[in-house]
Every structure is written in structure tokens, then in C-alpha cells.
Amino acid sequence: MSVVPTPHQRPDLLTPGQLDELVQSPHIGYVDRKSESTDIFVIGTSHFRCNSAREVTSLIERVRPDGVVLELDPERVLRLTKLSQGFDENGAREGRSRDAEDILYGADFVAAINACQRLDVPLFLGDEYARETKRRLSERLLNWEAYSPEPLVKAFFASISGDGGRRQKVRMNLLKTFAQDPQKLAPIALTSSPPFLLASALALFDNGAMAYDGSVITNTVETIASIIASFLVSSLLFNTVIAERDEVLAASTMYASSVVRSLKDNASIRQRWQFTVSQEKEELAADTNRKPDSLPLFTLKTPLKRAGVRNLNLFEPRWLKMIDQVTKENDALDAKTFGCVRCINKFYSAISVNGVEGRYADVIFERVGTLATIKELKEGKRLVSGDRRISVSIEGGDSFVADASNLSVSEDGYMVATNVTPVDSAGLNDVLSSKKVSTESVRMVVVVGLLHG
């Protein structure tokens, strides 16, 4: 395990000339949300091998954003980064690590991840899981409104019309983007052509049939109908796979900017570190280097309330070792305590740690946490793999406030806080009321496929 200590630094605000130079690139869009003091750069990419990887790296290096949002979900991040680091799906080494530009698919995202890790920029995942998109698509099949071609037609003309030089909002220009780099057109052509190829095949078949029965009008009608059907299918795919996911990406971007704002306001803490992902859990030794007054920290999606009961199902090696450490330190079950903090953003990517599979962790969590006492613990095994898992029932206790200067990461890959003292309601209110309000603007970069621009 190793901590990533480099502080994030951002250059001064971009001058109007620098901004104009950036948005002259047809694959870059820009939104200035003045009411929220947020600048958003949107870079449209092709996920197949082309210039997109270099363009993403260049934009991040020039803009030095406060955060980068990727059109990815956690599962796709691990698949892409495992591939780039030379690991297979099971974590076995299958080759050397590869540069982003050597990857056939997803080089744009890998380039963004590499640049952010090198420059210490927070990473956010903006997309939904693929299974959620598939579920929504299946639900829309019998909904005739989902076949409306209006959003597709509007998006097409908006993407080629430009924005008249408005600096507050600049759209990407697809035609100019494809003209500059024709390779970016390949994935769009591959994904959009099947319906029209089908229509063309039907037309050829109909033309052959006319030689036998001479039904010119009938075959013409069938050909037109097949073209219309293919267009409606394309509209369904655009509405479900592109337009509705645009809403997800937009909401994720605004949420990410609010998380960045909480960092500037000192309401949350960001911690980065690296750790190994070992499957040999039983052979791992618990961390013996922890200080006696240290408090292990466990991250939750929702805050643990006082007297609230939460059931945890743990199987990751680091959490198993954390519980082992806590339970070994005290004989009485009610004395086995650790801290719970609400995680407002977490990003994990695969990396190589001393030649074995590991993780780069970039976690942002709220400063105010809750002490958790273990009430019940049950050992078990996972059904498929047979690996160890434990079920833990915890109860919330007093609140505490974490300080970035008192945080570290254990050798097993979980966060540890020192000099933690419980605070009552009055003390907690004092901490919350002393929160600073930053006037600095938030600058974001969003990396998405070209059709989302």
C-alpha cells in the first residue's frame, strides 16, 4: 500500500483568448454556468483508436480541472484498466502494460485516467451500468413515444449548425470533427449502419422479385417501409442509449461539481492511495503497525445515525482484515469499534503494485462520521468462489470529525484516523457552522462519446 500525497494545483483562470483557442477545436464543447460559478468543458471522443486519447490528455493538461467526469461505470473502469495494465479478468498477469494509444477500444478513457492520476485530479464516474441501459431499452420497445425521430433530428442539426461564437455555450461540431479525423467516424458508422444495410438488402431482394412478378408498386412500398422502420429503430436507440443517458451524464456532472465544491469548502476530505488485491485472504497477516489510538474507517453510501443498526456483508480482503484487526484488539464484543464516514465519491482503477494486481483509490468523504460498535459477527463463505465473507451487524454511536492531517492508510488498504474524539451536538454544530464558503469557481472536464456532445 502507498499513499498518493501530491496536492492538486490549478493554474489561474483561463483568459478569454485561451478559452477561445480551446473551443475552436470542433470536438470540444463548453458551458459557463455563471449562477453556479462552474465552467464545464465537454470533449467528444471516439472510443476506437484515433487521436482522441492525445486530445483528452492535452485538454486535461491545459485546463487542469478540479474534476474529470468519465462516461463510464465502475465495471467498465476495471475492465479497461486491467487490460491496460496487462491483467486478465481474474487478475493474472497476461502481458505487459500498454500505453493508452496502443489500446484498440477505450484509449480515450484510459488516457483521461492516466492524466488525472499523474496530475492528481479527482475522477468521477458519470454513466449508469450497462445493464440499466439494457433494462430501459427493453421497457421502451412497446412504448411508441420512444420511437419519436424528433430528438435525433434536432441533435443532428444542432451538431452541425455551430453556436455563432457565443462564449457561454459552445457545442461540438460533428462534421468538422470527422473532417479533421475521419477515423472517429468508424464506430458511429459500424453501430448505425446495420438498420440501413438491412433496408438496402430488402431493396435488392425486392428488385430481384420484380423481375418475376412485376409488382413495382408493391416492392417500392415495401422498400420505403423497411427504410422507415430502420429509421424508427435508430430513433429508439438514440432516445434510449444516447438522449436518456445524456440526462444521466448531466446530472452526474452537476453532482461531481457539488462534491468538488464541498472540498473547497472544507466540508469533505479527499484521500488517494494504492493497495494490492490479493485473493489469498486467509494467508494475509493483519496490520500490526497501527497506532493504539487509531480508528479504522469504513465508507458508507448513506450516513450511519446514532442508535441506527446497519448490516454489512463484507468480502473484500481489506475490509476482512479491518474487522479482524478490530475484533482482535478487544475481548468484549461491545468494545469493538470503528468509524463510519459517508463516501460521496469513490473511484477505483486497476494498477500494478509490485508486479501484482492492485487498485488506485480516489475517495472523497464527509468530515463528520459516526462511531460504529459491532453487535454481531458471523463467518461465512461466498456461494460461487467459496472465498471468506463475514456478516457484521453494527450500531451507530457518537459523532466524530475527521481531519485530513490525522489520516493515513493501513498496509491492508483501508483508511485510519488518529486523535479522534467524540463530539456532542453542540460541538458538531460548531464544526458545521465554521465551514468556510469558497468563492473560487469550479472547473470540470467531461469525457464522452461524440454522439453525446
Side-chain angles (χ1 to χ4, degrees), residues 15-233:
T15 65
Q18 291 172 323
L19 176 60
D20 289 340
E21 181 185 355
L22 281 173
V23 299
Q24 285 299 315
S25 300
H27 55 275
I28 295 178
Y30 175 74
V31 179
D32 182 2
R33 301 179 68 96
K34 289 186 178 296
S35 61
E36 300 165 5
S37 299
T38 303
D39 297 326
I40 303 173
F41 292 86
V42 182
I43 178 168
T45 65
S46 171
H47 305 324
F48 285 84
R49 186 181 296 161
C50 60
N51 290 328
S52 288
R54 289 188 293 272
E55 292 166 351
V56 167
T57 300
S58 175
L59 180 64
I60 293 174
E61 289 177 345
R62 293 186 64 183
V63 171
R64 296 294 177 99
D66 297 300
V68 170
V69 181
L70 306 177
E71 183 205 339
L72 288 176
D73 62 64
E75 293 176 352
R76 283 182 283 167
V77 168
L78 287 183
R79 283 200 299 267
L80 281 175
T81 52
K82 279 185 177 184
L83 175 65
S84 69
Q85 294 295 320
F87 296 104
D88 63 18
E89 285 295 320
N90 298 318
R93 175 71 77 176
E94 62 177 5
R96 64 176 180 83
S97 60
R98 291 186 280 179
D99 294 332
E101 296 178 6
D102 295 331
I103 299 173
L104 177 62
Y105 183 85
D108 50 334
F109 295 128
V110 173
I113 293 170
N114 291 343
C116 288
Q117 291 177 357
R118 176 166 47 84
L119 299 174
D120 192 36
V121 177
L123 281 154
F124 299 85
L125 300 180
D127 204 2
E128 63 188 4
Y129 284 94
R131 57 179 174 269
E132 178 63 21
T133 304
K134 294 177 181 178
R135 179 196 63 78
R136 196 173 60 253
L137 179 60
S138 64
E139 291 178 351
R140 298 289 194 276
L141 289 176
L142 298 180
N143 182 356
W144 297 113
E145 294 181 357
Y147 292 84
S148 171
E150 182 179 356
L152 176 59
V153 173
K154 285 184 175 179
F156 173 76
F157 284 105
S159 67
I160 64 175
S161 61
D163 295 273
R166 292 178 296 164
R167 186 176 293 150
Q168 286 72 32
K169 184 176 182 180
V170 180
R171 293 184 65 96
M172 289 183 278
N173 190 306
L174 285 182
L175 292 184
K176 290 184 179 180
T177 298
F178 296 145
Q180 285 189 358
D181 188 358
Q183 285 183 298
K184 293 178 180 177
L185 186 58
I188 296 177
L190 289 173
T191 55
S192 61
S193 59
F196 296 98
L197 289 176
L198 176 61
S200 300
L202 289 173
L204 290 173
F205 176 80
D206 288 343
N207 288 333
M210 284 192 297
Y212 293 97
D213 59 23
S215 303
V216 177
I217 297 178
T218 300
N219 288 285
T220 301
V221 170
E222 290 177 352
T223 301
I224 294 174
S226 65
I227 293 175
I228 293 175
S230 66
F231 181 66
L232 291 176
V233 170

Side-chain angles (χ1 to χ4, degrees), residues 291-341:
K291 298 179 181 179
D293 62 341
S294 63
L295 179 73
L297 297 182
F298 184 79
T299 56
L300 293 169
K301 290 183 179 180
T302 57
L304 179 65
K305 304 293 185 181
R306 174 185 286 274
V309 176
R310 194 76 61 89
N311 295 314
L312 308 176
N313 182 32
L314 307 178
F315 51 85
E316 286 189 48
R318 55 183 175 142
W319 300 131
L320 296 176
K321 285 301 156 187
M322 185 194 78
I323 296 298
D324 288 345
Q325 187 69 37
V326 171
T327 54
K328 288 178 181 178
E329 290 175 348
N330 300 286
D331 294 330
L333 193 63
D334 287 344
K336 304 179 190 303
T337 303
F338 57 92
C340 288
V341 290

Side-chain angles (χ1 to χ4, degrees), residues 375-392:
K375 308 303 291 184
E376 186 178 9
L377 189 151
K378 293 182 180 178
E379 291 280 350
K381 291 185 179 296
R382 304 187 72 181
L383 291 177
V384 178
S385 64
D387 291 333
R388 180 191 177 203
R389 73 169 182 84
I390 55 177
S391 299
V392 185

